[in-house]
DNA sequence: GGAATGTTCCCCACTTTTCCCCACTTGGCT
DNA sequence: AGCCAAGTGGGGAAAAGTGGGGAACATTCC
């Protein structure tokens, strides 16, 4: 699995292009074919999954029973926001307009490597979100008490 | 399987034609022969299945026990609305009048790729429908029984 | 039967968007 | 200083979406 880490503050140009940090580009498997599935996160941010990583997730989603209305709505929501993007010669991707609007992107973006995915945030949105979250060390205690996760 | 994804807002012209996004056209198998079976969805929307994908569904439907009146009605409803459409030279299909009325289409449509099918919605109808649905991340937790991923 | 009407299909023309390529700038390394 | 890798910006060709004309076919009405 690709292991992304670190953060960077880059710009979005007038064509909706965002450069992916070289460090993260180099972490891609050849099977990803320089491409990502881009989609929305649960929070107000954009997620990038390398193509090979996304394939696993999609296989899970496809197994859901679409004769159940709740599952149908869920699959619809996930796939609606998803799109495939490929790095251009300069290591950039074009972010779909709907996702730029969803994430509230303007000139600058915060790019964060999070294990199997890359997250793209508007810096302002991220700051507001981080503020709301409980204290980092408190959360850590709670998560690790459960023993198994992370 | 085709694996459609993404959304687009396009227009319906006076002849009932709707363009299918190039991204989704490119995802079609050659066996689909540039054709779809078009029918109504469970919600107030229109569904497009590539011909090859529809063949599998039809086989499933045909296996249902038609000595049960419920199954009989179900099969009748599906097949009653179904029709076959082919892409024209500009990548458009003609939507049957009955389905335009059913989905409440006017000038604009929202086209959504949902794995094995393409859905066509009236934007207003979709917004109303989406509002009723439970929160995305809540559903995700329930469906996958885990909240941390994605 | 034949004219009038309407529908379907194919083609052409226009506009907008997307994609690919080239060029410039900055900062780190030799 | 000079070179190279990385990020940023923009121009132009090609593709995608939109709208409409007109031939071919069918349908209805006289």
């Amino acid at each position: 699995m690709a292991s992304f880490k670190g953060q960077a503050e880059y710009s979005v140009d007038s064509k909706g292009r965002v450069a992916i940090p070289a460090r993260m580009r180099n972490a891609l498997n050849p099977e990803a074919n320089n491409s990502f599935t881009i989609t929305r996160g649960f929070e107000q941010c954009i997620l990038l999954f390398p193509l090979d990583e996304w394939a696993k997730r999609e296989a899970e989603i496809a197994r859901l029973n679409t004769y159940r209305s709740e599952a149908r709505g869920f699959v619809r929501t996930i796939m609606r926001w998803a799109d495939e993007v490929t790095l251009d010669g300069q290591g950039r991707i074009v972010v779909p307009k709907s996702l730029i609007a969803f994430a509230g992107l303007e000139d600058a973006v915060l790019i964060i490597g999070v294990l199997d995915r890359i997250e793209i945030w508007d810096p302002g949105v991220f700051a507001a979100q981080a503020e709301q979250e409980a204290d980092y060390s408190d959360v850590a205690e709670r998560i690790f008490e459960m023993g198994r996760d992370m």
Side-chain angles (χ1 to χ4, degrees), chain A:
Chain A
M1 190 180 80
S3 169
F4 302 112
K5 53 176 75 78
Q7 62 176 335
E9 191 161 333
Y10 282 179
S11 62
V12 195
D13 68 18
S14 58
K15 296 181 180 179
R17 293 180 298 194
V18 173
I20 302 302
R23 190 151 43 117
M24 299 183 194
R25 294 203 304 263
N26 296 335
L28 284 174
N29 291 328
E31 297 87 52
N33 212 20
N34 276 340
S35 300
F36 298 89
T37 294
I38 189 171
T39 188
R40 55 162 282 187
F42 291 124
E43 288 86 17
Q44 194 188 342
C45 70
I46 296 171
L47 305 181
L48 287 175
F49 293 95
L51 228 51
D52 53 335
E53 180 64 30
W54 176 260
K56 299 179 212 160
R57 288 173 185 258
E58 193 170 293
E60 270 182 41
I61 295 168
R63 272 203 298 277
L64 295 174
N65 177 2
T66 50
Y67 288 110
R68 285 188 53 215
S69 102
E70 193 180 60
R72 206 160 54 236
F74 177 73
V75 173
R76 180 181 299 128
T77 304
I78 285 199
M79 297 308 292
R80 175 160 89 96
W81 292 98
D83 205 342
E84 195 175 314
V85 293
T86 302
L87 293 170
D88 70 9
Q90 277 73 261
R92 294 173 293 194
I93 57 163
V94 178
V95 180
K97 285 195 189 62
S98 56
L99 284 170
I100 290 188
F102 169 75
L105 301 190
E106 292 171 10
D107 308 4
V109 290
L110 182 65
I111 303 175
I112 308 176
V114 188
L115 293 173
D116 56 354
R117 65 183 181 272
I118 296 171
E119 299 190 355
I120 299 178
W121 292 77
D122 176 74
V125 170
F126 182 83
Q129 153 87 22
E131 207 171 281
Q132 280 184 7
E133 275 179 16
D135 182 72
Y136 186 40
S137 71
D138 286 352
V139 174
E141 280 187 27
R142 233 172 308 134
I143 290 180
F144 284 110
E145 259 168 33
M146 299 169 68
R148 54 190 167 80
D149 256 337
M150 265 188 75

